[in-house]
Amino acid sequence: MLSERRLEVLRAIVQDYVGTEEPVGSKALTERHKLGVSPATVRNDMAALEEEGYIAQPHTSAGRIPTDKGYRLFVDKLAAVKPMTPPERRAIQNFLEGAVDLDDVVGRTVRLLAQLTRQVAVVQYPSLTRSTVRHVELLSLAPARVMLVLITDTGRVEQRMVDCPVPFGETSLADLRARLNSRVAGRRFADVPRLVEDLPEAFDLEDRGTVSTVLSTLLETLVEENEERLMIGGTANLTRFGHDFPLTIRPVLEALEEQVVLLKLLGEAKDSGMTVRIGHENAHEGLSSTSVVSVGYGSGGEAVAKLGVVGPTRMDYPGTMGAVRAVARYVGQILAES
Amino acid sequence: MLSERRLEVLRAIVQDYVGTEEPVGSKALTERHKLGVSPATVRNDMAALEEEGYIAQPHTSAGRIPTDKGYRLFVDKLAAVKPMTPPERRAIQNFLEGAVDLDDVVGRTVRLLAQLTRQVAVVQYPSLTRSTVRHVELLSLAPARVMLVLITDTGRVEQRMVDCPVPFGETSLADLRARLNSRVAGRRFADVPRLVEDLPEAFDLEDRGTVSTVLSTLLETLVEENEERLMIGGTANLTRFGHDFPLTIRPVLEALEEQVVLLKLLGEAKDSGMTVRIGHENAHEGLSSTSVVSVGYGSGGEAVAKLGVVGPTRMDYPGTMGAVRAVARYVGQILAES
DNA sequence: TGCTGGCACTCGGCTGCGGTGAGTGCCAAG
DNA sequence: CTTGGCACTCACCGCAGCCGAGTGCCAGCA
């Protein structure tokens, strides 16, 4: 068990290192923080912290830097989420208001988050399966061609082309549209498969095939992992990393380009509350020297998707967490209004 | 006027420099290319080319590298677009087929282009104003709240919320929907403003305000500069630039994040045919050491949007141009089918 | 037992220096 | 106009030496 002061030393090391980006030594620590003890004592504490694996030296005769484990302890025990200041809150709200559609909301959110945290921002679109059906529209584009449009209560719109096995009349189409909507409108997408199961049976034999085709397209659209989308931004902030970085930045950019990787990353995070994954805690190799701070957001109580930032393990955790949480909250509000 | 051989020397310099990324000297040139003359002669030619501003030396006693002007001459006079090989064509087609919607098409295109050229790819969504109206849908979400959905023949879907001044009945809504579609369906979006001008007059006085509100939202959606969207990818390829790069890569990433900048960039390109902008020819400062190869694409004869790549001025122009052209062609096909 | 000042030691980073070689410009001869 | 020869330039590389921040250890003190 670490003494109170040693924890304090760890906190000081994290704070200084995050600020200066340079290994911090015992002397500098005592000067910048009122620890009330001499450098020699701090050195002893540092040795103990290193023994426990919370800090490390890049090389002998250099200062210490926190390890992933050190950051973990810092985040869990030593740091409090830093709330946004009122002006910041107002700025967030102003920035997000005036979005004309969901793409705009997500786009603005990404930019906002990237700017606030000066890191790479990732925002997931509201998941279809966790949203509620606002409307299902069917449009006849050609005798045997139907366009299926899904609209969620979060403003997300998905469309699919359906090639029908046989031509489908306008009246049948209107019929299907009406029946479909009366069953699913206002219900959760996750329940849709169950709700439309027996729908083909209500139709004439000749239309039944077409109805099934339409429905199966609908269901395919809802398959998780296909329906997830996201937007990223602030990649230019990666250049602030280290100065060594072709090597550092490359794998990160590559990982960020892989939507699958990012979706998995966000998927691994807790559904409620904030999640911080530090360094090697991230399964993906390219992200092993980055930390991911993510949180769910939603129009009501429940999260419909996640958002977060990706940055160096050496990041300002309290500030980042504060920004991420605040943005998530406001996005939720905006979505609820639309 | 430059002699035939001097042009040949310039071509050789460009090719070698693009290949090796290192300044090329007179001896190496004669060895790698059958110019039929001695290094000394090549030196004279180089001096002449430098005099004319086509090449430059990074420092005395180093080889030459092409200047922007040199690349310009190379692209205009010395290089032929390199056609894709049949296997490559097949790969492109395979990769693009199976896209389920427009987002998917654009997403696949970006990834494909980035992979083929090993550079940053930029793909603009089909412009609304240059597309044709497939359908306009109006949905009543609340008594005084309407959702407007625009669907283009290229598969693009835009939606907007409209808050009506007074509640709007279902029948009036159906009426508006029918009138609207009969006027604009199959017409070009650019003509829509003219076509709906007098539409409010067909309605009762009490609905007229609402109809106007809906229409003005519709028109706002079509305002150019707001309606343009794009997707980028392959930013990880930027790390292949130079090794000096925090400085090099930073402004490029920043420029790429600014959709406005990119849209302007693409907007400046010719509407038909391929456009190559080299180095300082790009107005934007951050992109002054990059080249942009872009081309319009469309489902029919006319371009509905543009796509292209951004890379170092030191790029393989013939290959890049070939890839860009081929991809644009196939995307056009895919869009025409949907 | 824990804190402190003192001290020798380590080692990465900076600086200065000469050698090396690719590449150049110029010139006189073919 | 081309070519071989030649002197010159200068970036790059490796090496040696210095500097200083930072460490670990130890003996003394509360």
Side-chain angles (χ1 to χ4, degrees):
Chain A
M1 191 52 210
L2 291 167
S3 78
E4 196 59 36
R5 195 191 57 230
R6 289 195 174 155
L7 291 176
E8 199 53 44
V9 168
L10 176 57
R11 167 187 282 143
I13 291 174
V14 170
Q15 285 174 353
D16 275 24
Y17 183 60
V18 165
T20 63
E21 312 204 354
E22 268 166 25
V24 9
S26 54
K27 184 149 163 263
L29 254 202
T30 52
E31 281 165 6
R32 303 186 30 145
H33 301 265
K34 296 174 189 164
L35 295 170
V37 290
S38 77
T41 310
V42 172
R43 280 207 286 284
N44 288 330
D45 291 343
M46 281 175 153
L49 285 167
E50 181 161 15
E51 179 72 20
E52 302 280 335
Y54 294 110
I55 56 178
Q57 328 186 47
H59 48 260
T60 338
S61 91
R64 308 303 217 287
I65 63 177
T67 60
D68 289 354
K69 189 177 170 191
Y71 285 121
R72 168 54 56 204
L73 184 61
F74 176 80
V75 168
D76 289 345
K77 299 277 160 58
L78 302 175
V81 176
K82 189 168 137 214
M84 298 277 98
T85 63
E88 282 171 326
R89 296 183 172 281
R90 247 172 287 133
I92 294 176
Q93 208 155 9
N94 284 340
F95 195 85
L96 291 180
E97 255 161 36
V100 297
D101 66 358
L102 183 65
D103 277 318
D104 203 7
V105 171
V106 174
R108 282 169 189 243
T109 306
V110 159
R111 265 172 294 159
L112 177 63
L113 203 52
Q115 223 174 319
L116 283 174
T117 62
R118 303 203 56 192
Q119 275 152 198
V120 179
V122 182
V123 180
Q124 200 177 355
Y125 278 72
S127 146
L128 281 188
T129 40
R130 298 188 197 182
S131 301
T132 301
V133 183
R134 181 173 271 168
H135 186 80
V136 179
E137 184 59 35
L138 294 169
L139 298 174
S140 175
L141 299 180
R145 188 146 226 221
V146 170
M147 177 179 248
L148 172 68
V149 183
L150 306 181
I151 303 175
T152 78
D153 60 336
T154 45
R156 187 160 160 193
V157 178
E158 286 289 317
Q159 97 279 12
R160 288 289 183 283
M161 284 306 196
V162 187
D163 283 310
C164 311
V166 295
F168 199 46
E170 268 301 336
T171 36
S172 305
L173 190 72
D175 190 18
L176 177 57
R177 181 191 300 128
R179 285 176 188 272
L180 202 49
N181 275 294
S182 75
R183 291 208 186 187
V184 303
R187 311 296 293 265
R188 300 175 46 89
F189 271 99
D191 298 330
V192 167
R194 191 170 48 74
L195 292 167
V196 302
E197 222 168 15
D198 59 344
L199 206 50
E201 294 162 23
F203 286 80
D204 292 346
L205 208 55
E206 63 172 329
D207 284 339
R208 215 168 277 176
T210 300
V211 170
S212 298
T213 309
V214 171
L215 290 182
S216 67
T217 303
L218 170 58
L219 299 189
E220 272 167 32
T221 310
L222 299 178
V223 173
E224 247 179 309
E225 287 168 24
N226 294 335
E227 63 104 341
E228 308 273 29
R229 292 192 52 202
L230 46 77
M231 197 181 277
I232 75 169
T235 47
N237 290 324
L238 285 176
T239 53
R240 299 186 310 114
F241 256 48
H243 304 290
D244 49 340
F245 60 106
L247 292 171
T248 323
I249 205 179
R250 181 73 180 268
V252 179
L253 270 175
E254 273 168 3
L256 291 174
E257 295 243 323
E258 295 281 345
Q259 306 241 332
V260 190
V261 170
L262 284 179
L263 286 169
K264 220 166 85 187
L265 205 67
L266 291 178
E268 283 166 1
K270 296 194 299 275
D271 258 13
S272 65
M274 201 153 4
T275 302
V276 180
R277 303 207 132 223
I278 298 167
H280 295 88
E281 296 171 10
N282 293 303
H284 189 79
E285 197 175 350
L287 298 175
S288 61
S289 60
T290 64
S291 286
V292 181
V293 176
S294 61
V295 69
Y297 71 89
S299 49
E302 207 178 344
V304 292
K306 288 168 189 159
L307 58 77
V309 305
V310 179
T313 49
R314 168 224 313 142
M315 70 162 69
D316 167 19
Y317 289 95
T320 303
M321 291 166 81
V324 167
R325 192 176 64 184
V327 169
R329 209 167 274 168
Y330 283 106
V331 175
Q333 280 181 24
I334 298 282
L335 286 184
E337 285 166 18
S338 63
Chain B
M1 192 49 209
L2 291 167
S3 76
E4 196 59 37
R5 195 191 58 228
R6 289 196 174 155
L7 291 176
E8 199 54 45
V9 169
L10 176 57
R11 167 188 283 142
I13 292 173
V14 170
Q15 285 174 353
D16 274 23
Y17 183 60
V18 166
T20 64
E21 313 206 352
E22 269 164 26
V24 8
S26 53
K27 183 147 165 264
L29 256 201
T30 52
E31 280 165 7
R32 302 186 32 144
H33 300 266
K34 295 175 188 162
L35 295 170
V37 291
S38 77
T41 309
V42 171
R43 279 206 287 284
N44 288 330
D45 291 343
M46 281 175 154
L49 285 167
E50 183 160 14
E51 178 73 19
E52 303 279 337
Y54 293 111
I55 56 179
Q57 326 188 48
H59 50 261
T60 339
S61 93
R64 307 303 216 290
I65 63 176
T67 60
D68 289 353
K69 187 176 171 191
Y71 285 122
R72 168 53 57 203
L73 184 61
F74 176 80
V75 168
D76 289 346
K77 298 279 160 57
L78 302 175
V81 175
K82 190 168 137 213
M84 298 276 97
T85 64
E88 282 172 324
R89 296 182 173 282
R90 247 172 287 133
I92 294 176
Q93 208 155 11
N94 285 340
F95 196 85
L96 291 181
E97 254 159 36
V100 297
D101 65 359
L102 183 65
D103 277 317
D104 202 8
V105 171
V106 174
R108 283 169 189 242
T109 306
V110 160
R111 266 172 292 158
L112 176 64
L113 203 50
Q115 220 174 321
L116 283 174
T117 62
R118 305 201 56 192
Q119 275 153 196
V120 179
V122 181
V123 179
Q124 199 177 356
Y125 278 72
S127 148
L128 281 188
T129 40
R130 297 189 198 182
S131 301
T132 301
V133 183
R134 182 173 269 168
H135 186 80
V136 179
E137 184 59 33
L138 295 170
L139 299 173
S140 175
L141 300 180
R145 189 143 226 222
V146 169
M147 178 179 247
L148 173 67
V149 183
L150 306 181
I151 302 175
T152 78
D153 60 338
T154 46
R156 187 162 160 192
V157 178
E158 286 289 317
Q159 97 280 11
R160 289 288 183 285
M161 284 304 194
V162 187
D163 282 311
C164 311
V166 295
F168 201 46
E170 268 300 338
T171 35
S172 305
L173 191 72
D175 190 17
L176 178 56
R177 181 191 299 128
R179 284 174 190 271
L180 204 48
N181 275 294
S182 74
R183 291 208 186 185
V184 302
R187 312 298 291 266
R188 301 174 46 89
F189 271 99
D191 299 331
V192 167
R194 193 171 45 75
L195 293 168
V196 302
E197 222 168 14
D198 59 344
L199 205 51
E201 294 162 25
F203 287 80
D204 292 345
L205 208 55
E206 62 171 330
D207 285 338
R208 215 168 277 176
T210 301
V211 170
S212 297
T213 310
V214 171
L215 290 182
S216 67
T217 303
L218 170 58
L219 299 189
E220 272 166 33
T221 310
L222 299 179
V223 173
E224 248 180 306
E225 286 168 24
N226 294 335
E227 62 103 340
E228 309 274 29
R229 292 191 53 202
L230 46 77
M231 197 181 278
I232 76 168
T235 48
N237 290 324
L238 284 177
T239 54
R240 299 186 309 114
F241 255 48
H243 304 290
D244 49 341
F245 61 107
L247 291 172
T248 323
I249 206 179
R250 182 73 181 268
V252 179
L253 270 176
E254 273 169 2
L256 292 175
E257 294 243 322
E258 294 281 344
Q259 305 240 334
V260 190
V261 170
L262 283 179
L263 286 170
K264 219 165 87 187
L265 206 66
L266 291 177
E268 283 166 0
K270 296 193 299 274
D271 258 13
S272 64
M274 200 154 3
T275 302
V276 181
R277 303 205 134 225
I278 298 168
H280 295 87
E281 296 170 9
N282 293 303
H284 190 78
E285 197 175 349
L287 298 175
S288 61
S289 60
T290 64
S291 287
V292 180
V293 176
S294 62
V295 70
Y297 72 87
S299 48
E302 210 177 343
V304 292
K306 289 168 188 160
L307 58 77
V309 306
V310 178
T313 49
R314 167 225 313 143
M315 69 163 69
D316 168 19
Y317 290 95
T320 303
M321 291 166 81
V324 168
R325 192 175 64 184
V327 169
R329 211 168 271 169
Y330 283 106
V331 174
Q333 280 179 24
I334 298 282
L335 285 184
E337 285 166 18
S338 64

